[in-house]
């Protein structure tokens, strides 16, 4: 059925496929806060959930680069998310005003009094720094581990995903210095905004999100812009020389190496870029939540994001976005609503439901809801015992 | 797998040389640090050191039962059975229901009655876990046997979450605690540190189970079939071995070991929880990798090393990271082993394993 749907989709004229439909969908999303209150249904996602969707869509797209494009299973993606969040937490709070450090650095923060101690760097800049730091962390983790075989790599990344939150949790006593404030977390994080001078010039840009009544709308639009940026990068990367190298490695590592694809460098790039978006999402999430705690970064998050990628369709950005939207909605609003109707606490069992989704998808539709065409051929060929490379070549 | 030589000639020239020695140097450094810390502790307070190492031995026996399940399954179908730790957790839950709730084991019975009831509980938990493991294998792993390699691994992760949630639904989010069934009284004391009977009892029960396993794998027809399938599935099939039933038998064996481990855990630690299997399973997996995955004696060796390491880290006092770092220490071992010696301590280096 879906196959016929996608056939029909490709029959549509170019203008409809590439201009009209994307613009219509984009408009639906951009103006969502304006009409959500008028929607006649109760189950429409609330603004807070929409912001979460943006965060998870960024993460899912980032993980898709690693898992979907390059075929490297990463079970410790939460490490990069945590890294991004802690960059925001460390450099936009009063953390470095404690007894050990007593530093005072200000760089274009919004609504931070001149006298406030600690490091306060503009949150916009921190988004970039966090993403770059996460990418560096990705390279640092990737260099020693990426030569491992697939399933071993999964376990090693899982190890890192467990070690980094624990290190953050124990980071309130690094040889007697309080670096991360341990289980108490870092709060409050500086607020995000455009500052009064920009606000006076362009009045629709708020000076400080938190002084606005509809501040969640502004977070949502910011998140949406970041998702669009991520999406743009992912699509361009997919079609680039690097993206084709990833696919080549995923399909046959030995053949790719024989064709002159530098394995380590290509894989490390996948890792770094995936981590980049994880860090970006983490930083945005921490700023939106105004705090960051070690308890936010558990293995469950890694699995949750992986579940989005699998549900939507590994390697297909649209599928992955759909997976992120559906699962985030279920996790933060849908399941609770269903539970209220049935009078049971389903949220408690949400991870069992996600586990069930993973198993069912793998058994029944391993290519995901909206598969990338290449992936579908790969899975089908493997199931029928046909040579994968031959089947893909045949299909194209 | 080497990089493309056209990439960077200078690093490539230096790389093999570095790589030859890096493994040795890293191994020596890590072992050296562990050795210094252990000796330091032993010198500082040898009584504490001995007492803690003896407890670590019991923990190692526990990990051994779980690690063998990982290594058996990996040896035969090269799948990291992520759900295995949760099968172990279910073993402890079965033992809790049967032994504590139904039989009312609470340490008040006489020795002989306790022994008989523990035996019945353990056999029942082994049977249930073994059967459950086979059902899981038939239902979700078997259809994926020819799928791309990551598919069964991802499925196993999903299965792990399902098993955890089922336990959460059945037994609730809190700890399930039992009265001590095994005597907590001291067998002997070293200085102020006592060695409890229950620590010895766990080891004493583990040993016959392990001997039974070795007998099964080494000396029976079914064990021979397992080894044949592990070595070369296609050749084994051509020799008339029923590969499917052999794989199922392996899962049965792994599940039964996990059931035995779960029973001993709930009787030894006197508590269990729905998420017990996750961390413990990963530690046991680390043990299997440390010894050389697919290698039975390697898994046992690795399990005892991890058990001792964890006990030392949690219990000793001189320059150890302490129990808030346990996971990091064990996973660091896992990462170092995988990076520098992926074949493990006793495994043989094969091109594909690394």
């Amino acid at each position: 059925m879906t196959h016929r749907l996608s056939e029909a989709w490709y029959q549509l004229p170019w203008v409809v496929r590439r201009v009209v439909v994307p613009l219509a969908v984009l408009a639906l999303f951009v103006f969502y806060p304006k009409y959500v209150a008028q929607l006649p249904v109760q189950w429409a996602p609330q603004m807070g959930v929409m912001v979460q969707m943006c965060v998870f869509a960024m993460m899912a797209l980032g993980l898709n680069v690693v898992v979907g494009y390059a075929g490297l299973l990463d079970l410790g993606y939460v490490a990069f998310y945590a890294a991004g969040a802690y960059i925001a937490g460390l450099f936009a709070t009063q953390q470095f005003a404690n007894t050990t450090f007593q530093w005072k650095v200000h760089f274009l923060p919004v609504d931070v009094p001149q006298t406030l101690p600690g490091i306060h760097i503009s949150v916009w800049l921190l988004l970039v720094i966090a993403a770059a730091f996460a990418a560096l962390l990705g390279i640092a983790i990737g260099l020693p581990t990426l030569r491992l075989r697939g399933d071993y790599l999964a376990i090693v990344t899982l190890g890192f995903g467990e070690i980094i939150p624990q290190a953050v949790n124990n980071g309130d006593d690094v040889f007697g210095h309080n670096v991360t404030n341990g289980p108490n977390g870092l709060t409050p994080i500086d607020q995000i905004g455009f500052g009064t001078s920009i606000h006076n010039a362009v009045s629709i840009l708020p000076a400080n999100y938190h002084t606005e009544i509809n501040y969640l709308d502004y977070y949502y639009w910011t998140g949406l812009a970041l998702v669009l940026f991520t999406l743009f990068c992912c699509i361009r990367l997919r079609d680039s020389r690097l993206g084709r190298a990833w696919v080549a490695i995923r399909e046959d590592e030995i053949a790719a190496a024989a064709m002159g694809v530098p394995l380590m460098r290509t894989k490390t790039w996948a890792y770094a870029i995936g981590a980049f978006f994880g860090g970006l999402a983490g930083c945005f999430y921490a700023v939106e939540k105004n705090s960051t705690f070690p308890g936010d970064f558990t293995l469950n998050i890694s699995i949750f994001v992986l579940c989005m990628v699998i549900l939507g369709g590994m390697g297909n950005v649209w599928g992955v976005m759909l997976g992120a939207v559906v699962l985030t909605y279920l996790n933060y609003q849908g399941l609770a609503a269903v539970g209220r109707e049935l009078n049971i606490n389903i949220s408690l069992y949400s991870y069992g439901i996600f586990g069930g989704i993973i198993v069912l998808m793998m058994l029944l539709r391993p290519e995901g809801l909206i598969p990338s065409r290449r992936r579908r051929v790969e899975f089908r060929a493997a199931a029928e015992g046909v040579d994968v490379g031959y089947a893909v070549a045949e299909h194209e | 797998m080497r990089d493309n030589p056209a990439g960077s000639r200078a690093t490539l020239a230096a790389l093999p040389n570095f790589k030859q020695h890096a493994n040795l140097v890293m191994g020596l450094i890590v072992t050296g640090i562990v050795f210094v810390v252990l000796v330091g502790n032993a010198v500082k307070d040898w009584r504490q050191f001995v007492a803690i190492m003896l407890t670590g031995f019991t923990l190692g026996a526990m990990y051994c039962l779980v690690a063998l399940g990982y290594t058996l399954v990996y040896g035969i179908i090269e799948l990291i059975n992520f759900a295995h730790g949760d099968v172990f957790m279910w073993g402890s839950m079965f033992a809790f229901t049967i032994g504590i709730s139904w039989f009312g084991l609470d340490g008040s019975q006489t020795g002989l009655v306790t022994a008989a009831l523990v035996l019945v509980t353990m056999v029942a938990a082994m049977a249930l876990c073994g059967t459950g493991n086979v059902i899981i294998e038939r239902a979700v792993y078997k259809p994926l046997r020819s799928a791309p390699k990551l598919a069964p691994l991802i499925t196993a992760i999903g299965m792990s979450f399902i098993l955890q949630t089922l336990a959460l639904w059945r037994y609730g989010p809190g700890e399930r605690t039992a009265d001590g069934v095994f005597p907590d009284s001291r067998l002997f004391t070293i200085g102020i540190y006592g060695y409890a009977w229950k620590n010895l009892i766990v080891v004493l029960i583990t040993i016959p189970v392990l001997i039974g396993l070795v007998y099964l794998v080494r000396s029976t027809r079914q064990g021979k079939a397992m080894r044949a399938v592990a070595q070369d599935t296609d050749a084994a099939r051509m020799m008339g071995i029923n590969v499917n039933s052999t794989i199922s038998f392996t899962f049965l064996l792994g599940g039964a070991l996990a059931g035995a481990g779960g029973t001993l855990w709930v009787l030894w630690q006197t508590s269990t929880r729905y998420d017990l299997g996750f961390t413990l399973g990963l530690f046991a997996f680390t043990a299997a990798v440390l010894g050389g995955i697919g290698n039975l004696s390697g898994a046992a060796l690795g399990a005892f090393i991890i058990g001792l390491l964890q006990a030392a880290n949690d219990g000793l006092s001189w320059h150890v990271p302490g129990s808030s770092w346990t996971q990091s220490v064990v996973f660091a071992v896992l990462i170092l082993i995988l990076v520098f010696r992926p074949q493990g301590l006793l495994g043989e280096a094969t091109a594909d394993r690394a």
Side-chain angles (χ1 to χ4, degrees):
Chain A
M1 204 268 293
T2 38
H3 197 71
R4 211 167 295 153
L5 264 182
S6 74
E7 294 278 295
W9 170 250
Y10 284 105
Q11 298 287 313
L12 289 174
W14 184 88
V15 184
V16 178
R17 271 196 300 138
R18 287 297 174 87
V19 182
V20 178
V21 174
L23 279 183
V25 172
L26 185 64
L28 266 180
F29 275 104
V30 169
F31 293 109
Y32 186 79
K34 296 293 178 199
Y35 63 79
V36 60
Q38 277 91 47
L39 287 180
V41 285
Q42 281 188 348
W43 45 261
Q46 295 146 2
M47 285 321 296
V49 179
M50 293 302 281
V51 179
Q52 286 295 330
M53 279 181 195
C54 294
V55 172
F56 280 107
M58 260 183 275
M59 291 229 283
L61 284 170
L63 186 63
N64 182 46
V65 171
V66 183
V67 181
Y69 291 173
L72 309 163
L73 185 57
D74 184 348
L75 297 178
Y77 196 60
V78 72
F80 308 125
Y81 185 49
Y86 266 85
I87 287 290
L90 288 174
F91 299 118
T93 58
Q94 297 185 44
Q95 170 60 15
F96 286 113
N98 64 32
T99 45
T100 317
F101 299 102
Q102 299 183 332
W103 290 344
K104 180 171 171 295
V105 181
H106 281 228
F107 186 80
L108 301 175
V110 171
D111 274 1
V112 174
Q114 276 300 314
T115 50
L116 204 65
I119 300 182
H120 300 273
I121 295 174
S122 164
V123 173
W124 299 109
L125 190 62
L126 280 182
L127 283 173
V128 180
I129 296 174
F133 175 74
L136 281 179
L137 188 69
I139 293 173
I141 293 180
L143 277 181
T145 58
L146 279 172
R147 61 186 76 241
L148 295 173
R149 221 182 44 182
D151 44 0
Y152 278 14
L153 177 70
I155 297 295
V156 167
T157 52
L158 188 143
F160 276 112
E162 291 290 301
I163 287 177
I164 287 177
Q166 190 164 55
V168 171
N169 191 40
N170 297 334
D172 54 352
D173 184 19
V174 183
F175 303 108
H177 304 298
N178 179 355
V179 178
T180 64
N181 210 21
N184 298 325
L186 295 167
T187 188
I189 293 174
D190 293 344
Q191 288 160 0
I192 190 169
F194 292 94
T196 39
S197 47
I198 296 182
H199 173 65
N200 291 340
V202 188
S203 60
I204 54 162
L205 298 177
N208 179 351
Y209 286 14
H210 276 268
T211 54
E212 304 291 322
I213 303 161
N214 56 343
Y215 68 96
L216 275 176
D217 299 357
Y218 288 103
Y219 276 118
Y220 169 65
W221 283 318
T222 315
L224 198 60
L226 291 174
V227 170
L228 287 177
F229 166 71
T230 310
L231 189 59
F232 173 76
C233 293
C234 284
I235 292 175
R236 297 300 296 158
L237 278 168
R238 181 193 62 194
D239 299 335
S240 71
R241 187 186 169 85
L242 188 60
R244 280 176 280 131
W246 286 333
V247 174
I249 286 182
R250 183 185 78 203
E251 276 173 11
D252 191 333
E253 209 171 284
I254 297 166
M259 291 297 123
V261 175
L263 290 183
M264 274 307 284
R265 201 194 309 161
T266 314
K267 286 182 182 180
T268 312
W269 267 117
Y271 235 59
I273 290 166
F276 182 89
F277 296 120
L280 189 68
C283 185
F284 179 67
Y285 170 72
V287 171
E288 190 263 328
K289 210 166 66 89
N290 203 14
S291 60
T292 173
F293 298 97
D296 297 339
F297 309 106
T298 58
L299 173 82
N300 286 359
I301 303 275
S302 301
I303 302 295
F304 187 44
V305 180
L306 182 68
C307 194
M308 292 166 186
V309 175
I310 291 168
L311 177 70
M314 282 185 267
N316 183 318
V317 285
W318 310 111
V320 168
M321 297 252 290
L322 178 74
V325 167
V326 169
L327 286 187
T328 314
Y329 173 73
L330 280 181
N331 195 31
Y332 288 91
Q333 191 176 345
L335 285 180
V338 174
R340 268 197 304 279
E341 291 290 318
L342 303 175
N343 218 359
I344 44 173
N345 186 5
I346 297 190
S347 320
L348 197 61
Y349 308 119
S350 54
Y351 281 92
I353 294 171
F354 301 144
I357 291 176
I358 291 185
V359 172
L360 285 179
M361 288 304 289
M362 275 297 147
L363 288 176
L364 303 176
R365 201 177 158 81
E367 67 269 31
L369 288 179
I370 310 181
S372 75
R373 277 190 288 175
R374 184 186 283 271
R375 270 287 200 188
R376 180 169 59 210
V377 177
E378 274 173 43
F379 275 111
R380 291 283 172 237
E384 287 156 19
V386 189
D387 182 67
V388 175
Y390 179 74
V392 173
E394 186 89 322
H395 184 80
E396 288 173 349
Chain B
M1 208 67 53
R2 284 281 152 76
D3 272 1
N4 164 29
S8 44
R9 211 159 273 140
T11 38
L12 254 190
L15 214 54
N17 211 358
F18 167 72
K19 273 176 76 178
Q20 273 172 12
H21 299 295
N23 293 4
L24 190 65
V25 171
M26 274 307 292
L28 283 179
I29 290 174
V30 172
T31 330
I33 292 172
V34 173
F35 186 72
V36 166
V37 170
L38 289 181
V39 169
N41 274 294
V43 170
K44 194 162 160 276
D45 188 350
W46 68 270
R47 293 183 182 87
Q48 185 200 31
F49 182 79
V50 171
I52 281 169
M53 285 296 138
L54 286 173
T55 320
F57 198 73
T58 309
L59 194 61
M62 211 78 211
Y63 287 152
C64 188
L65 289 172
V66 188
L68 283 168
Y70 278 104
T71 226
L72 280 170
V73 167
Y74 193 92
I76 206 153
I77 54 171
E78 301 214 335
L79 163 71
I80 298 172
N81 184 8
F82 240 94
H84 191 70
D86 300 286
V87 173
F88 165 84
M89 178 272 297
W90 267 101
S92 73
M93 291 297 185
F94 286 138
F96 188 89
T97 303
I98 296 170
I100 313 292
S101 304
W102 294 358
F103 294 162
L105 280 170
D106 55 5
S108 63
Q109 292 87 348
T110 56
L112 211 60
V113 175
T114 307
L117 289 180
V118 166
L119 189 70
V120 173
T121 309
M122 195 158 113
V123 171
M126 286 170 80
L128 285 168
C129 283
T131 322
N133 216 13
V134 171
I135 292 172
I136 293 171
E137 189 264 333
R138 287 273 153 144
V140 300
Y141 299 148
K142 192 173 165 223
L144 292 172
R145 220 170 273 160
S146 61
K149 206 142 199 193
L150 291 181
L153 178 62
I154 294 172
T155 312
I157 296 168
M159 211 53 232
S160 155
F161 275 79
I162 292 176
L163 287 178
Q164 262 186 46
T165 309
L166 285 176
L168 175 67
W169 168 70
R170 176 71 184 76
Y171 292 94
E175 293 252 339
R176 283 317 194 79
T177 47
D179 293 318
V181 176
F182 294 152
D184 210 2
S185 55
R186 288 177 175 190
L187 176 59
F188 56 85
T189 49
I190 319 162
I192 54 165
Y193 305 100
Y195 182 75
W197 265 105
K198 60 177 184 181
N199 291 340
L200 183 67
I201 292 173
V202 168
V203 177
L204 288 183
I205 299 179
T206 311
I207 289 170
V209 175
L210 294 183
I211 291 174
L213 175 78
V214 170
Y215 170 77
L216 255 176
V217 176
R218 290 255 166 88
S219 314
T220 62
R221 262 181 93 79
Q222 192 58 256
K224 206 180 206 173
M226 276 172 62
R227 282 179 289 138
V229 174
Q231 203 169 45
D232 190 332
T233 313
D234 290 330
R237 189 178 287 122
M238 280 179 230
M239 293 298 120
I241 293 171
N242 186 338
V243 171
N244 280 335
S245 74
T246 309
I247 292 176
S248 290
F249 181 75
T250 311
F251 273 85
L252 179 77
L253 217 53
L257 288 172
T263 311
L264 289 178
W265 180 271
V266 79
L267 297 177
W268 181 47
Q269 291 285 317
T270 69
S271 75
T272 176
R273 212 170 71 171
Y274 75 99
D275 59 354
L276 165 76
F278 174 68
T279 316
L280 202 138
L282 281 175
F283 284 12
F285 174 75
T286 307
V289 174
L290 179 62
I293 193 147
N295 181 328
L296 291 188
S297 35
L301 174 71
F304 284 108
I305 293 179
I306 294 289
L308 292 175
L309 196 68
Q310 188 187 342
N313 176 58
D314 292 359
L316 293 178
S317 51
W318 184 78
H319 286 290
V320 292
S323 59
S324 62
W325 288 99
T326 308
Q327 286 193 27
S328 298
V329 169
V330 175
F331 290 138
V333 170
L334 175 69
I335 291 167
L336 287 173
I337 278 286
L338 280 181
V339 171
F340 290 103
R341 200 179 158 81
Q343 70 271 33
L345 294 178
L346 299 186
E348 284 164 28
T350 58
D352 194 41
R353 287 276 153 89

